[in-house]
Amino acid sequence: MLSNQRIFMIVGSVALVMLSAVVHEVAHGWVAYKLGDPTAKQAGRLTLNPLAHLDPVGSVLLPLLMAWIGGPVFAFAKPVPYNPYNLRNPRRDEVLVALAGPTSNLLQALVGSLAFRLAFASWSGAADALYWVLMALQIYVYVNLTLMFFNLIPLPPLDGSKIVMPLLHGSARQSYYKIQQYSMPILLVVLYVLPSVLGFDPLGMYLDATAGNLATLMMGA
């Protein structure tokens, strides 16, 4: 039977990853709008209303499954649409739009870690209401850092691919185009096949070294 803490971790992780993913997508659309593209605004996607963004599989089932398994929890919402041809400086602005999502997650993690430190300073050590608030803030910080570092992986459809692309030229860009064709199989292998079949989890190791260590540093825990 699941303990109250385990249930809280699962439900809290899924709820907070939904919130964080929505903010992530709105950030993409908001920066695109500020740089000249009104597509997201016209589509009604510059809103924090989760109903406008959540994807049943990527926003609910995937994080629920990952929280149940006990590994890193991340998710994706429906991508906010934008038209790069409307951007004032497409080559530069596409990178800024891509960076907006991970940056929003970093800012959320910073806010969460500050709130955690303030709440922790007032905590008596008892298993009271503040204890559950601290747990929620820990989850919020880690979820956002996980989303940030996961999205910085340079494979489509992740934001890292849009950040790397303008930096490549000639044969390097052509080689990257070829790799892009296999991006989803690569992600599926890394996410599921390697950990379950070979017991090797490179993504988990990467997220532990990045999101895990940074979360510990930010919260002083």
Side-chain angles (χ1 to χ4, degrees), residues 59-79:
S59 306
V60 182
L61 293 180
L62 177 63
L64 186 60
L65 175 63
M66 301 189 86
W68 179 270
I69 293 173
V73 179
F74 50 85
F76 59 87
K78 292 184 289 188

PDB file of all heavy atoms in Angstrom, residues 59-79:
ATOM      1  N   SER A  59       1.350  15.501 -21.118  1.00  0.00           N
ATOM      2  CA  SER A  59       1.210  16.332 -19.922  1.00  0.00           C
ATOM      3  C   SER A  59       0.652  15.577 -18.725  1.00  0.00           C
ATOM      4  O   SER A  59       0.768  16.056 -17.597  1.00  0.00           O
ATOM      5  CB  SER A  59       0.296  17.533 -20.214  1.00  0.00           C
ATOM      6  OG  SER A  59       0.736  18.252 -21.330  1.00  0.00           O
ATOM      7  N   VAL A  60       0.017  14.422 -18.956  1.00  0.00           N
ATOM      8  CA  VAL A  60      -0.625  13.701 -17.862  1.00  0.00           C
ATOM      9  C   VAL A  60      -0.082  12.275 -17.730  1.00  0.00           C
ATOM     10  O   VAL A  60       0.516  11.917 -16.707  1.00  0.00           O
ATOM     11  CB  VAL A  60      -2.158  13.658 -18.045  1.00  0.00           C
ATOM     12  CG1 VAL A  60      -2.809  12.942 -16.860  1.00  0.00           C
ATOM     13  CG2 VAL A  60      -2.730  15.068 -18.183  1.00  0.00           C
ATOM     14  N   LEU A  61      -0.276  11.460 -18.756  1.00  0.00           N
ATOM     15  CA  LEU A  61       0.096  10.049 -18.643  1.00  0.00           C
ATOM     16  C   LEU A  61       1.601   9.851 -18.503  1.00  0.00           C
ATOM     17  O   LEU A  61       2.057   9.041 -17.688  1.00  0.00           O
ATOM     18  CB  LEU A  61      -0.431   9.280 -19.865  1.00  0.00           C
ATOM     19  CG  LEU A  61      -1.957   9.172 -19.977  1.00  0.00           C
ATOM     20  CD1 LEU A  61      -2.348   8.388 -21.224  1.00  0.00           C
ATOM     21  CD2 LEU A  61      -2.534   8.508 -18.727  1.00  0.00           C
ATOM     22  N   LEU A  62       2.397  10.582 -19.311  1.00  0.00           N
ATOM     23  CA  LEU A  62       3.854  10.414 -19.240  1.00  0.00           C
ATOM     24  C   LEU A  62       4.409  10.788 -17.874  1.00  0.00           C
ATOM     25  O   LEU A  62       5.123   9.982 -17.257  1.00  0.00           O
ATOM     26  CB  LEU A  62       4.519  11.223 -20.352  1.00  0.00           C
ATOM     27  CG  LEU A  62       6.060  11.191 -20.358  1.00  0.00           C
ATOM     28  CD1 LEU A  62       6.558   9.768 -20.599  1.00  0.00           C
ATOM     29  CD2 LEU A  62       6.604  12.140 -21.415  1.00  0.00           C
ATOM     30  N   PRO A  63       4.115  11.988 -17.329  1.00  0.00           N
ATOM     31  CA  PRO A  63       4.655  12.293 -15.998  1.00  0.00           C
ATOM     32  C   PRO A  63       4.092  11.400 -14.899  1.00  0.00           C
ATOM     33  O   PRO A  63       4.794  11.086 -13.935  1.00  0.00           O
ATOM     34  CB  PRO A  63       4.250  13.759 -15.779  1.00  0.00           C
ATOM     35  CG  PRO A  63       3.140  14.011 -16.720  1.00  0.00           C
ATOM     36  CD  PRO A  63       3.402  13.136 -17.909  1.00  0.00           C
ATOM     37  N   LEU A  64       2.826  10.953 -15.046  1.00  0.00           N
ATOM     38  CA  LEU A  64       2.252  10.056 -14.045  1.00  0.00           C
ATOM     39  C   LEU A  64       3.004   8.728 -14.031  1.00  0.00           C
ATOM     40  O   LEU A  64       3.336   8.196 -12.960  1.00  0.00           O
ATOM     41  CB  LEU A  64       0.772   9.825 -14.347  1.00  0.00           C
ATOM     42  CG  LEU A  64      -0.027   9.017 -13.323  1.00  0.00           C
ATOM     43  CD1 LEU A  64      -0.005   9.715 -11.971  1.00  0.00           C
ATOM     44  CD2 LEU A  64      -1.458   8.817 -13.802  1.00  0.00           C
ATOM     45  N   LEU A  65       3.312   8.206 -15.219  1.00  0.00           N
ATOM     46  CA  LEU A  65       4.056   6.960 -15.320  1.00  0.00           C
ATOM     47  C   LEU A  65       5.454   7.115 -14.746  1.00  0.00           C
ATOM     48  O   LEU A  65       5.935   6.260 -13.990  1.00  0.00           O
ATOM     49  CB  LEU A  65       4.135   6.519 -16.789  1.00  0.00           C
ATOM     50  CG  LEU A  65       4.985   5.290 -17.092  1.00  0.00           C
ATOM     51  CD1 LEU A  65       4.414   4.059 -16.390  1.00  0.00           C
ATOM     52  CD2 LEU A  65       5.063   5.046 -18.600  1.00  0.00           C
ATOM     53  N   MET A  66       6.116   8.220 -15.074  1.00  0.00           N
ATOM     54  CA  MET A  66       7.492   8.421 -14.611  1.00  0.00           C
ATOM     55  C   MET A  66       7.534   8.641 -13.099  1.00  0.00           C
ATOM     56  O   MET A  66       8.461   8.179 -12.428  1.00  0.00           O
ATOM     57  CB  MET A  66       8.120   9.591 -15.351  1.00  0.00           C
ATOM     58  CG  MET A  66       8.145   9.396 -16.858  1.00  0.00           C
ATOM     59  SD  MET A  66       9.110  10.626 -17.722  1.00  0.00           S
ATOM     60  CE  MET A  66      10.730   9.876 -17.623  1.00  0.00           C
ATOM     61  N   ALA A  67       6.540   9.339 -12.559  1.00  0.00           N
ATOM     62  CA  ALA A  67       6.482   9.529 -11.108  1.00  0.00           C
ATOM     63  C   ALA A  67       6.220   8.204 -10.401  1.00  0.00           C
ATOM     64  O   ALA A  67       6.779   7.928  -9.337  1.00  0.00           O
ATOM     65  CB  ALA A  67       5.384  10.540 -10.762  1.00  0.00           C
ATOM     66  N   TRP A  68       5.382   7.369 -11.007  1.00  0.00           N
ATOM     67  CA  TRP A  68       5.079   6.063 -10.412  1.00  0.00           C
ATOM     68  C   TRP A  68       6.323   5.172 -10.403  1.00  0.00           C
ATOM     69  O   TRP A  68       6.609   4.499  -9.418  1.00  0.00           O
ATOM     70  CB  TRP A  68       3.958   5.407 -11.204  1.00  0.00           C
ATOM     71  CG  TRP A  68       3.569   4.037 -10.691  1.00  0.00           C
ATOM     72  CD1 TRP A  68       4.076   2.833 -11.063  1.00  0.00           C
ATOM     73  CD2 TRP A  68       2.595   3.749  -9.682  1.00  0.00           C
ATOM     74  NE1 TRP A  68       3.483   1.817 -10.383  1.00  0.00           N
ATOM     75  CE2 TRP A  68       2.566   2.347  -9.512  1.00  0.00           C
ATOM     76  CE3 TRP A  68       1.741   4.547  -8.926  1.00  0.00           C
ATOM     77  CZ2 TRP A  68       1.716   1.737  -8.599  1.00  0.00           C
ATOM     78  CZ3 TRP A  68       0.892   3.922  -8.026  1.00  0.00           C
ATOM     79  CH2 TRP A  68       0.893   2.537  -7.869  1.00  0.00           C
ATOM     80  N   ILE A  69       7.080   5.211 -11.496  1.00  0.00           N
ATOM     81  CA  ILE A  69       8.309   4.405 -11.583  1.00  0.00           C
ATOM     82  C   ILE A  69       9.354   4.899 -10.605  1.00  0.00           C
ATOM     83  O   ILE A  69      10.138   4.125 -10.051  1.00  0.00           O
ATOM     84  CB  ILE A  69       8.858   4.428 -13.031  1.00  0.00           C
ATOM     85  CG1 ILE A  69       7.879   3.699 -13.972  1.00  0.00           C
ATOM     86  CG2 ILE A  69      10.236   3.796 -13.114  1.00  0.00           C
ATOM     87  CD1 ILE A  69       8.241   3.818 -15.431  1.00  0.00           C
ATOM     88  N   GLY A  70       9.366   6.228 -10.399  1.00  0.00           N
ATOM     89  CA  GLY A  70      10.312   6.793  -9.444  1.00  0.00           C
ATOM     90  C   GLY A  70      11.503   7.471 -10.075  1.00  0.00           C
ATOM     91  O   GLY A  70      12.436   7.860  -9.372  1.00  0.00           O
ATOM     92  N   GLY A  71      11.512   7.636 -11.397  1.00  0.00           N
ATOM     93  CA  GLY A  71      12.627   8.285 -12.064  1.00  0.00           C
ATOM     94  C   GLY A  71      12.390   9.777 -12.204  1.00  0.00           C
ATOM     95  O   GLY A  71      11.450  10.335 -11.625  1.00  0.00           O
ATOM     96  N   PRO A  72      13.233  10.451 -12.992  1.00  0.00           N
ATOM     97  CA  PRO A  72      13.021  11.879 -13.245  1.00  0.00           C
ATOM     98  C   PRO A  72      11.657  12.104 -13.899  1.00  0.00           C
ATOM     99  O   PRO A  72      11.240  11.328 -14.749  1.00  0.00           O
ATOM    100  CB  PRO A  72      14.160  12.236 -14.221  1.00  0.00           C
ATOM    101  CG  PRO A  72      15.177  11.158 -14.031  1.00  0.00           C
ATOM    102  CD  PRO A  72      14.414   9.926 -13.683  1.00  0.00           C
ATOM    103  N   VAL A  73      10.980  13.156 -13.484  1.00  0.00           N
ATOM    104  CA  VAL A  73       9.643  13.440 -13.998  1.00  0.00           C
ATOM    105  C   VAL A  73       9.697  14.656 -14.911  1.00  0.00           C
ATOM    106  O   VAL A  73      10.137  15.721 -14.501  1.00  0.00           O
ATOM    107  CB  VAL A  73       8.649  13.700 -12.852  1.00  0.00           C
ATOM    108  CG1 VAL A  73       7.265  14.021 -13.413  1.00  0.00           C
ATOM    109  CG2 VAL A  73       8.576  12.500 -11.932  1.00  0.00           C
ATOM    110  N   PHE A  74       9.302  14.475 -16.150  1.00  0.00           N
ATOM    111  CA  PHE A  74       9.179  15.593 -17.063  1.00  0.00           C
ATOM    112  C   PHE A  74       7.981  15.345 -17.957  1.00  0.00           C
ATOM    113  O   PHE A  74       7.397  14.263 -17.965  1.00  0.00           O
ATOM    114  CB  PHE A  74      10.454  15.814 -17.889  1.00  0.00           C
ATOM    115  CG  PHE A  74      10.983  14.584 -18.555  1.00  0.00           C
ATOM    116  CD1 PHE A  74      10.505  14.170 -19.776  1.00  0.00           C
ATOM    117  CD2 PHE A  74      11.978  13.827 -17.948  1.00  0.00           C
ATOM    118  CE1 PHE A  74      10.993  13.035 -20.399  1.00  0.00           C
ATOM    119  CE2 PHE A  74      12.476  12.692 -18.564  1.00  0.00           C
ATOM    120  CZ  PHE A  74      11.980  12.296 -19.791  1.00  0.00           C
ATOM    121  N   ALA A  75       7.598  16.370 -18.713  1.00  0.00           N
ATOM    122  CA  ALA A  75       6.402  16.275 -19.550  1.00  0.00           C
ATOM    123  C   ALA A  75       6.520  17.293 -20.667  1.00  0.00           C
ATOM    124  O   ALA A  75       7.439  18.096 -20.709  1.00  0.00           O
ATOM    125  CB  ALA A  75       5.159  16.550 -18.719  1.00  0.00           C
ATOM    126  N   PHE A  76       5.558  17.235 -21.571  1.00  0.00           N
ATOM    127  CA  PHE A  76       5.490  18.263 -22.598  1.00  0.00           C
ATOM    128  C   PHE A  76       4.030  18.654 -22.800  1.00  0.00           C
ATOM    129  O   PHE A  76       3.131  17.838 -22.665  1.00  0.00           O
ATOM    130  CB  PHE A  76       6.116  17.798 -23.920  1.00  0.00           C
ATOM    131  CG  PHE A  76       5.477  16.564 -24.508  1.00  0.00           C
ATOM    132  CD1 PHE A  76       4.362  16.655 -25.335  1.00  0.00           C
ATOM    133  CD2 PHE A  76       5.996  15.306 -24.242  1.00  0.00           C
ATOM    134  CE1 PHE A  76       3.778  15.533 -25.885  1.00  0.00           C
ATOM    135  CE2 PHE A  76       5.418  14.161 -24.779  1.00  0.00           C
ATOM    136  CZ  PHE A  76       4.308  14.274 -25.610  1.00  0.00           C
ATOM    137  N   ALA A  77       3.828  19.932 -23.063  1.00  0.00           N
ATOM    138  CA  ALA A  77       2.502  20.439 -23.403  1.00  0.00           C
ATOM    139  C   ALA A  77       2.436  20.603 -24.911  1.00  0.00           C
ATOM    140  O   ALA A  77       3.420  20.418 -25.618  1.00  0.00           O
ATOM    141  CB  ALA A  77       2.253  21.769 -22.691  1.00  0.00           C
ATOM    142  N   LYS A  78       1.244  20.936 -25.412  1.00  0.00           N
ATOM    143  CA  LYS A  78       1.109  21.181 -26.846  1.00  0.00           C
ATOM    144  C   LYS A  78       1.979  22.381 -27.221  1.00  0.00           C
ATOM    145  O   LYS A  78       1.878  23.430 -26.581  1.00  0.00           O
ATOM    146  CB  LYS A  78      -0.348  21.444 -27.199  1.00  0.00           C
ATOM    147  CG  LYS A  78      -1.257  20.240 -27.051  1.00  0.00           C
ATOM    148  CD  LYS A  78      -2.669  20.539 -27.508  1.00  0.00           C
ATOM    149  CE  LYS A  78      -3.385  21.460 -26.554  1.00  0.00           C
ATOM    150  NZ  LYS A  78      -4.822  21.624 -26.882  1.00  0.00           N
ATOM    151  N   PRO A  79       2.844  22.238 -28.222  1.00  0.00           N
ATOM    152  CA  PRO A  79       3.731  23.354 -28.576  1.00  0.00           C
ATOM    153  C   PRO A  79       2.939  24.601 -28.950  1.00  0.00           C
ATOM    154  O   PRO A  79       1.919  24.529 -29.638  1.00  0.00           O
ATOM    155  CB  PRO A  79       4.510  22.813 -29.785  1.00  0.00           C
ATOM    156  CG  PRO A  79       4.414  21.322 -29.674  1.00  0.00           C
ATOM    157  CD  PRO A  79       3.073  21.051 -29.056  1.00  0.00           C
TER     158      PRO A  79
END
